[in-house]
Amino acid sequence: MEQPLIRALALTRRYLVGKQEVRALDGVDLEVARGEFVALVGPSGSGKSTLLNLFGGLDRPSSGEIHVADLELGKASDNQLVRYRRERIGFIFQSFNLLAMRSAVENVETPLMLAEVKPKERRERALKLLESVGLAPRANHKPNELSGGEMQRVAVARSLANRPLLLLADEPTGNLDTATGRGILNLLREAVSAQGVTLVLVTHDPDVAAHADRIVHMRDGRIQRIEMKSH
Ligand code: ADP
Ligand code: MG
């Protein structure tokens, strides 16, 4: 069998709050295959964002192992993690996290700039990405001139700019109405089916989770159960 893209082994993340230890993750074992779409669900505070941040190299485990492709993230250097995030990961957040002073096309260009893609190619690729999310006509608009759904489409285009292996989405439809959220979900599913991207998505919405290949139910920092979907 092909190596899974993600392998988490006995993963924990603890925080000290005053003298109190908070176990945000309390022994998670999980494998995610390449090209798979996994939904993370569970009550608020169950560790979903903590797990997603560990997958994305935004945070480090307290113990256990987290491997993505050929990199063990807990042992990687800070520089390796910076490159890992830039080159292999696309992030999408509930609050869009666009640069307020930059136009839609400039936001999509940001990761390409960090990857030192030349200006002309950068602009061309960013415009193509905006077109693929149906936003070519809004290329020069600033975030405050866009609707929530449009901002999230810019964020999706940005997340795909460096052709990531892994897309990590933390409640990407949480601030959107149902129909708009469905449009965003479809763009993400398209990235999985057309480009073979792996998608791990946190959601509260059972209708969104229902589109995943597997639904991982979390509770108190642990995996409670895993639901397989056959579409
Ligand atoms: P979820 O995304 O499922 O709502 P989180 O992963 O954000 O949950 O949080 C899991 C637990 O870890 C919660 O109890 C939360 O309060 C705690 N936690 C998260 N981040 C921190 C932090 N930086 N410091 C202290 N506790 C934290
Ligand atoms: Mg969260």
Side-chain angles (χ1 to χ4, degrees):
M1 209 188 85
E2 201 187 355
Q3 280 277 341
L5 180 68
I6 303 177
R7 270 191 312 136
L9 302 166
L11 201 59
T12 76
R13 178 67 168 99
R14 302 182 214 96
Y15 294 103
L16 265 188
V17 181
K19 285 187 176 165
Q20 187 83 22
E21 186 185 75
V22 176
R23 295 186 182 183
L25 280 185
D26 194 17
V28 164
D29 295 291
L30 183 66
E31 293 190 348
V32 177
R34 288 172 191 267
E36 196 179 11
F37 170 12
V38 170
L40 294 181
V41 303
S44 177
S46 57
K48 306 180 299 292
S49 295
T50 303
L51 186 57
L52 209 70
N53 291 343
L54 288 173
F55 287 170
L58 289 169
D59 187 17
R60 289 172 184 275
S62 304
S63 68
E65 294 176 21
I66 167 77
H67 302 258
V68 179
D70 49 6
L71 195 62
E72 183 176 349
L73 301 182
K75 294 206 171 127
S77 68
D78 288 343
N79 279 334
Q80 278 177 310
L81 282 188
V82 169
R83 281 191 44 202
Y84 167 78
R85 291 195 298 264
R86 255 185 217 165
E87 294 172 7
R88 300 193 142 180
I89 307 298
F91 291 103
I92 298 148
F93 301 96
Q94 178 172 7
S95 51
F96 322 128
N97 293 17
L98 299 178
L99 298 170
M101 304 302 286
R102 304 249 186 247
S103 67
V105 68
E106 287 167 342
N107 268 281
V108 178
E109 278 185 72
T110 329
L112 298 170
M113 210 178 298
L114 293 171
E116 299 182 31
V117 177
K118 297 268 186 317
K120 185 159 171 285
E121 187 192 340
R122 204 158 76 201
R123 183 55 55 109
E124 280 168 9
R125 274 172 63 181
L127 287 171
K128 269 217 183 87
L129 285 155
L130 278 179
E131 198 182 313
S132 72
V133 300
L135 272 191
R138 297 283 183 276
N140 296 314
H141 289 230
K142 300 256 169 66
N144 68 2
E145 299 161 348
L146 298 171
S147 69
E150 288 171 338
M151 284 193 270
Q152 198 61 307
R153 281 194 272 162
V154 173
V156 169
R158 178 181 60 182
S159 77
L160 293 170
N162 280 337
R163 305 179 182 115
L165 267 179
L166 176 59
L167 271 184
L168 300 173
D170 199 344
E171 312 216 23
T173 64
N175 281 346
L176 305 175
D177 64 74
T178 306
T180 307
R182 186 52 47 92
I184 295 298
L185 176 67
N186 286 339
L187 289 174
L188 298 175
R189 291 173 67 204
E190 169 77 14
V192 173
S193 58
Q195 301 174 40
V197 174
T198 304
L199 172 62
V200 182
L201 178 150
V202 172
T203 184
H204 274 113
D205 183 343
D207 293 337
V208 171
H211 289 276
D213 300 312
R214 284 188 298 159
I215 305 178
V216 174
H217 293 260
M218 300 206 45
R219 191 169 202 108
D220 299 332
R222 295 165 176 263
I223 293 178
Q224 193 180 34
R225 68 193 169 94
I226 299 182
E227 206 179 326
M228 307 284 293
K229 289 275 163 183
S230 47
H231 294 292

